[in-house]
Amino acid sequence: MDTSRPLVVTLTARPTGDEVARLCAVLGAAPPGDVVCEVGALAAADLAAVDALARLKLAAGRSGHRIRFHGAGPDLRALLLLTGLDGTLPT
């Protein structure tokens, strides 16, 4: 893997638990580095989306990655602010 460029993972419109588990496994298998998680396709800003982001953040941290979430819409950013997770899951 080219360590000068971040690893990019993408969440689909409605990520399933299996999809999030697969992405967590990808993070676990990759050497530590920067990760960009594209979240612009998320269809709904709901607690399931927040759960997916939190699981990816935890998996990234366990593997020594620095993860950023890119493409979050205003509804998701507002939900993260409302839940107090905007500092933990920066978008």
Side-chain angles (χ1 to χ4, degrees):
M1 179 173 120
D2 181 358
T3 57
S4 64
R5 293 189 308 181
L7 170 65
V8 177
V9 296
T10 302
L11 283 176
T12 59
R14 298 207 181 275
T16 64
D18 288 343
E19 177 188 351
V20 175
R22 181 187 59 78
L23 291 174
C24 289
V26 167
L27 295 176
D34 292 326
V35 176
V36 174
C37 181
E38 293 288 342
V39 298
L42 285 172
D46 57 17
L47 292 179
V50 172
D51 178 65
L53 298 183
R55 290 177 56 198
L56 288 169
K57 171 77 175 178
L58 287 171
R62 279 189 221 112
S63 299
H65 298 292
R66 293 166 304 279
I67 192 167
R68 293 179 291 131
F69 299 99
H70 181 264
D75 290 345
L76 181 57
R77 288 193 305 270
L79 182 57
L80 291 172
L81 182 63
L82 179 69
T83 60
L85 294 172
D86 55 315
T88 303
L89 303 171
T91 57

